[in-house]
Amino acid sequence: MLRTWIGLAAAVLAAVALASAAPQSGRSAPSASTTLKVMTFNIFYGGDELNLQTRQFCKDPAGCPETLDQVAAAIRASGADVVGLQEPTMNTRTIAEKLGWNYSERTSYMSRFPIIDPPGANGLYVFVEPVPGRVVAVANVHLPSDPYGPYEARDGATRAQVLQLENDLRVPAIQTEIHELPKLAEDGIPVFLTGDFNSPSHLDWTPAVDAVRADVPYPVVWPASKALADAGFVDSFRSVYPNPVARPGFTWTPGSPEGEKVEVHDRIDWVLSMGPATATASSVVGEAGNPNTDIAVDPWPSDHRGVVSTFDVTPAPMPILVAVESRSLEQGQALRVRFHAAGQAGEDVSLLRLGDAVPAATKSTGGAVDGTLSFPTADLHPGAYLARLIDPGGEVISQSRFWLYRPGATTTVSTNKSRYRVGEPIRVSWKKAPGMKWDWLGIYKAGESADNPNNSTCSAGLCGNGHYLVYTYTNAAIQGSTTFSDATALVGWKTWPLGTGTYEIRLLMDDGYRSVASSPRFKIVQP
C-alpha cells in the first residue's frame, strides 16, 4: 500500500476512443463454460524493494531480485491463470517472463492465456482468451491510499467524517470502471475487476463485526465497494465466504516497512466479477502461519496478501477486431497484428499512416477467422498509424493505433510555453512514452536531484526524483498531452498554484521514480 509517494491516486482513464470493435463476431467455438482462476496481487514497489530477511526496504541500488523470484513463486503457488498487479513499478514484463506468460504493461495484467488489447478499450481493460475465439475482459485498479479510512476511524474520526473522506477520495477514482465495464457484461462478456482498493468492503464492517473487533469502532457501509456492488460487481471472496466474522480474509498487512504500530487489519484486495462468471472458490495467498492465509509462501514477498478466486465462466465470442501487439515500435522492428474476422475471402489488414491517403502496407487474412500477421517496418515512414481490418467491400470494420519511430528515438517532454504566470495552466506534451499503466508526469524545481541521480541503476530508492511538487498521470498514452491546473494537478510536496521560479517536467515510469525524459526549463512569474 503506497502511503507516502506517488501511488496515491488511480489513473482516470481517457475516454477518447479509436474505432470500437464491431459487435458481431466471426465463427468461434460453441458456447461452453470453463474454469478460470483470477488473482489480484499488490507486489510492493515493483516486487524487488522488500528485503526478505529484515522485512525492511531493499538497500541494493539494483533492487533485490530474490524477492522478485518469490513474487513469481507466489503466483505459481496460487494456481492463477490471470493476475492483475498493483505497484508493478516497471516489473510486469519481468515477472511475466519468469513465468513464461503473456503480459500487458498498459493494464498491469499477465496471463498464461493470450492477451489482446482491443481497440476502443483505451487501457481500461484487455481481453484474455482462455478458449480459442472466446474472451473475458479484465480491468485493474489501485485506489488512493491516503488518508486511509480505517486509520481515520481508529484515530477518532466520526463515521460521517470517514464517509465524507471515502466519497471525496475513492469513489471518484472508480467512476470510469462503474460506467464503462457494465457495458461489456451487458454484451455477454465476463468482466473481472482486480485491485488494491485501499478500503474495506461494505460487506465487512457490519454490526456483527463491530461487536467482536476492537479495531472497528462502528459499522460502516464503505462507499467504494457499495458503488461497485450497485453497478453489478460481485465480490468473489464474500460470495464464497459470506460471514465476515468467521472468515475475515484480511489482506492488509503481513508486515511492511510502512506498517503502523497500531495496525488495523482489513480485507482491501478484491477480485470482483460481472456477467457470466460465478465464483466457486476463493483463497488468500500469503505468509505461512497466519490464520487468514489459505495458500502459504515462505518467505512472503509483499506487504499485501493476494487473493485468487476460481470461477465457472462462459467466455464470450471474440468481437470482430484488429489489435496491434505493440503500440510503439522503431523502424526495422516487426509489427505483429492480431485479427478476428468474419472469415470471408477478400478481407485484408492494412497499415495507414495518419495524414496519408494510401495504405503503406496491406496483407490478406486469407479468409481466416483468427490469425496474426507480421508486417516489416524498415521501409515505413515514422509517424502515427492505424492498423485496419478491411472487409471485402473495402469498408474499415476495426482499427487500432500505433506509433512508429526512427531507430534510437528518445522520449521527449515539452511545454506549450517557456513562461507562465502564477496559477496559469501549464500544457505539457510527450512522445514515445513507455505506455505503462501508471506512467506519470511530475513538476520539479529545475535541476532538483536530492537522491541518487543515476537513473540507469535506481531500482531502489527515489532515483533523484523524490521531490516532485505536483503530478498527474499519462493514462498510459504513448503520445499525448495534458494540462496542469488547479483541477488536474495532484498534490506532491506542494499544492497548486506553484510559486515563482524555474521548473521542469519529468516523465517517470509506472508509479516508480525512474525518469525517462525532462522538458526544457520554464519559468513561473508573477502576473
Side-chain angles (χ1 to χ4, degrees):
M1 181 184 293
L2 277 72
R3 295 210 174 278
T4 54
W5 298 337
I6 70 162
L8 306 181
V12 178
L13 294 164
V16 179
L18 303 178
S20 296
Q24 71 271 25
S25 68
R27 297 185 297 272
S28 60
S31 176
S33 65
T34 188
T35 297
L36 190 69
K37 292 186 176 182
V38 182
M39 184 181 188
T40 189
F41 194 6
N42 181 318
I43 63 173
F44 188 73
Y45 294 108
D48 57 0
E49 293 297 309
L50 182 67
N51 185 308
L52 294 175
Q53 283 70 45
T54 66
R55 304 298 296 179
Q56 295 298 314
F57 277 104
C58 174
K59 299 299 183 183
D60 188 333
C64 291
E66 64 276 11
T67 308
L68 202 60
D69 290 338
Q70 283 299 102
V71 169
I75 294 171
R76 290 191 193 98
S78 76
D81 301 307
V82 187
V83 182
L85 298 178
Q86 300 86 46
E87 300 185 29
T89 317
M90 303 169 289
N91 278 334
T92 298
R93 176 177 180 173
T94 300
I95 298 166
E97 289 178 343
K98 286 179 180 289
L99 297 167
W101 283 15
N102 304 293
Y103 61 89
S104 164
E105 291 179 308
R106 191 180 190 183
T107 57
S108 299
Y109 252 100
M110 59 182 62
S111 176
R112 65 175 78 249
F113 300 119
I115 294 177
I116 302 163
D117 189 349
N122 299 309
L124 174 60
Y125 62 90
V126 289
F127 286 150
V128 172
E129 188 181 18
V131 176
R134 290 185 169 270
V135 297
V136 303
V138 294
N140 189 32
V141 297
H142 186 189
L143 299 197
S145 63
D146 284 325
Y148 183 47
Y151 290 170
E152 298 297 303
R154 174 200 63 190
D155 296 339
T158 66
R159 178 163 43 202
Q161 289 171 326
V162 169
L163 291 173
Q164 185 69 50
L165 166 66
E166 298 297 312
N167 281 307
D168 289 346
L169 183 62
R170 292 182 182 88
V171 172
I174 52 172
Q175 291 308 301
T176 302
E177 287 74 16
I178 285 174
H179 290 125
E180 299 300 323
L181 295 178
K183 299 175 184 177
L184 299 173
E186 290 170 2
D187 289 337
I189 300 174
V191 179
F192 299 95
L193 178 61
T194 57
D196 168 9
F197 291 83
N198 276 314
S199 168
S201 169
H202 71 290
L203 302 172
D204 287 1
W205 278 39
T206 63
V209 169
D210 176 42
V212 298
R213 277 182 57 185
D215 57 349
V216 174
Y218 36 71
V220 179
V221 179
W222 292 92
S225 68
K226 185 62 166 59
L228 289 162
D230 289 345
F233 283 99
V234 177
D235 184 329
S236 60
F237 187 86
R238 272 292 159 254
S239 70
V240 174
Y241 301 109
N243 187 336
V245 175
R247 285 298 302 266
F250 296 151
T251 61
W252 176 257
T253 171
S256 161
E258 300 174 302
E260 297 275 323
K261 291 181 179 179
V262 182
E263 190 57 81
V264 181
H265 298 282
D266 258 304
R267 188 178 67 91
I268 63 176
D269 303 85
W270 315 328
V271 178
L272 308 180
S273 69
M274 180 184 292
T278 302
T280 59
S282 189
S283 300
V284 174
V285 189
E287 76 280 21
N290 189 281
N292 293 279
T293 297
D294 302 302
I295 300 171
V297 175
D298 187 29
W300 182 246
S302 179
D303 63 337
H304 285 245
R305 299 180 190 96
V307 175
V308 60
S309 294
T310 303
F311 293 88
D312 181 33
V313 59
T314 303
M318 188 185 303
I320 286 180
L321 58 77
V322 64
V324 295
E325 290 192 359
S326 176
R327 294 182 295 140
S328 176
L329 302 95
E330 293 185 357
Q331 290 170 302
Q333 294 179 323
L335 172 72
R336 288 172 55 84
V337 181
R338 172 73 187 270
F339 67 86
H340 184 78
Q344 300 175 355
E347 290 178 316
D348 296 318
V349 172
S350 71
L351 307 183
L352 179 71
R353 186 170 180 261
L354 294 186
D356 291 350
V358 179
T362 299
K363 286 191 176 185
S364 171
T365 66
V369 172
D370 273 300
T372 300
L373 297 173
S374 181
F375 288 85
T377 64
D379 295 330
L380 301 182
H381 295 294
Y385 282 80
L386 294 173
R388 308 185 302 169
L389 180 61
I390 312 293
D391 73 7
E395 181 181 352
V396 178
I397 51 179
S398 180
Q399 59 188 20
S400 183
R401 182 172 293 194
F402 69 96
W403 285 264
L404 184 65
Y405 298 95
R406 292 184 175 85
T410 58
T411 305
T412 60
V413 179
S414 60
T415 56
N416 64 327
K417 296 169 61 174
S418 61
R419 192 179 183 92
Y420 298 89
R421 299 183 302 275
V422 172
E424 182 181 357
I426 299 171
R427 189 72 176 169
V428 57
S429 301
W430 64 91
K431 295 181 179 180
K432 204 175 187 268
M436 298 182 187
K437 183 170 179 62
W438 285 292
D439 288 351
W440 58 289
L441 297 158
I443 299 183
Y444 292 78
K445 282 283 191 179
E448 175 73 41
S449 182
D451 306 289
N452 176 12
N454 186 353
N455 284 333
S456 64
T457 58
C458 64
S459 294
L462 303 182
C463 314
N465 293 306
H467 289 280
Y468 56 94
L469 302 174
V470 293
Y471 73 99
T472 192
Y473 287 100
T474 68
N475 297 321
I478 301 295
Q479 289 192 185
S481 60
T482 190
T483 300
F484 282 93
S485 69
D486 58 353
T488 62
L490 302 173
V491 174
W493 290 90
K494 298 289 184 181
T495 57
W496 189 269
L498 300 177
T500 59
T502 303
Y503 299 89
E504 60 187 284
I505 298 177
R506 301 176 193 173
L507 175 59
L508 303 101
M509 292 193 290
D510 205 24
D511 256 358
Y513 287 88
R514 184 172 295 175
S515 173
V516 290
S518 296
S519 72
R521 296 179 178 184
F522 59 90
K523 290 185 177 182
I524 296 178
V525 299
Q526 289 291 347

Coordinates of all heavy atoms in Angstrom, one line a residue, residues 34 104 148 162 170 176 210 246 270 300 368 395 433 455 498:
T34 N -16.0 -22.8 -18.7 CA -14.7 -23.3 -18.3 C -14.3 -22.8 -17.0 O -15.0 -21.9 -16.4 CB -13.7 -22.9 -19.4 OG1 -12.4 -23.5 -19.2 CG2 -13.4 -21.3 -19.4
S104 N 0.4 -7.4 -20.3 CA 0.0 -6.1 -20.8 C 0.5 -5.1 -19.8 O 0.0 -5.0 -18.7 CB -1.5 -6.1 -20.9 OG -1.9 -4.7 -21.0
Y148 N -6.2 7.0 4.9 CA -6.7 5.6 4.9 C -7.9 5.6 5.9 O -7.7 5.9 7.1 CB -5.7 4.6 5.3 CG -6.1 3.2 5.3 CD1 -6.8 2.6 4.2 CD2 -5.7 2.4 6.3 CE1 -7.1 1.3 4.2 CE2 -6.0 1.0 6.3 CZ -6.8 0.5 5.3 OH -7.1 -0.8 5.3
V162 N -15.6 9.8 8.1 CA -15.0 8.7 7.2 C -15.7 8.6 5.9 O -15.1 8.4 4.9 CB -15.0 7.4 8.0 CG1 -14.6 6.2 7.1 CG2 -14.0 7.5 9.2
R170 N -12.1 8.2 -2.9 CA -12.0 6.9 -3.6 C -13.2 6.6 -4.5 O -12.9 6.0 -5.6 CB -12.0 5.7 -2.5 CG -10.6 5.8 -1.8 CD -10.4 4.7 -0.8 NE -9.1 5.0 -0.1 CZ -8.9 5.8 0.9 NH1 -10.0 6.3 1.5 NH2 -7.7 6.0 1.4
T176 N -14.9 5.6 -14.0 CA -14.8 5.0 -15.3 C -15.1 3.5 -15.3 O -15.8 3.1 -16.2 CB -13.3 5.2 -15.8 OG1 -13.0 6.6 -15.8 CG2 -13.2 4.7 -17.2
D210 N -18.5 -5.3 14.2 CA -18.3 -4.3 15.2 C -18.4 -4.9 16.6 O -17.7 -4.4 17.5 CB -19.4 -3.2 15.0 CG -19.3 -2.1 16.0 OD1 -18.2 -1.7 16.4 OD2 -20.4 -1.7 16.5
A246 N -16.6 -15.1 10.7 CA -16.0 -16.4 10.6 C -14.8 -16.4 9.6 O -13.8 -17.1 9.9 CB -17.0 -17.5 10.1
W270 N -9.4 -7.2 -3.7 CA -10.6 -7.9 -4.1 C -10.5 -8.4 -5.5 O -9.8 -7.8 -6.4 CB -11.9 -7.1 -4.0 CG -12.0 -6.3 -2.7 CD1 -11.5 -6.6 -1.5 CD2 -12.6 -5.0 -2.6 NE1 -11.9 -5.6 -0.6 CE2 -12.5 -4.6 -1.3 CE3 -13.3 -4.2 -3.5 CZ2 -13.0 -3.4 -0.8 CZ3 -13.8 -2.9 -3.0 CH2 -13.7 -2.6 -1.7
W300 N 7.3 -14.6 2.5 CA 6.3 -13.8 1.7 C 6.9 -12.5 1.2 O 7.5 -11.8 2.0 CB 5.1 -13.6 2.6 CG 4.0 -12.8 1.8 CD1 3.5 -11.6 2.1 CD2 3.2 -13.3 0.7 NE1 2.5 -11.3 1.2 CE2 2.3 -12.3 0.3 CE3 3.3 -14.5 0.0 CZ2 1.5 -12.5 -0.7 CZ3 2.4 -14.7 -1.1 CH2 1.5 -13.7 -1.4
A368 N -9.2 -16.3 -43.1 CA -9.2 -16.9 -41.8 C -10.0 -16.1 -40.8 O -10.2 -14.9 -41.0 CB -7.7 -17.0 -41.3
E395 N -14.7 -1.6 -46.7 CA -15.1 -0.9 -45.5 C -14.2 -1.2 -44.4 O -13.9 -2.4 -44.1 CB -16.5 -1.2 -45.2 CG -17.0 -0.4 -43.9 CD -18.5 -0.8 -43.6 OE1 -19.1 -1.5 -44.4 OE2 -18.9 -0.3 -42.5
A433 N 6.5 7.7 -25.0 CA 6.5 7.3 -23.6 C 6.4 5.7 -23.5 O 6.1 5.1 -24.4 CB 5.2 7.9 -22.9
N455 N 19.9 7.5 -13.0 CA 18.7 6.9 -13.3 C 18.8 5.5 -13.9 O 17.8 4.8 -14.1 CB 17.9 7.8 -14.2 CG 17.3 9.0 -13.5 OD1 17.0 8.9 -12.3 ND2 17.1 10.1 -14.1
L498 N 1.8 26.8 -8.1 CA 3.2 26.8 -7.7 C 3.7 28.3 -7.7 O 3.1 29.1 -8.5 CB 4.1 26.0 -8.7 CG 3.7 24.5 -8.8 CD1 4.6 23.9 -9.9 CD2 3.9 23.9 -7.5

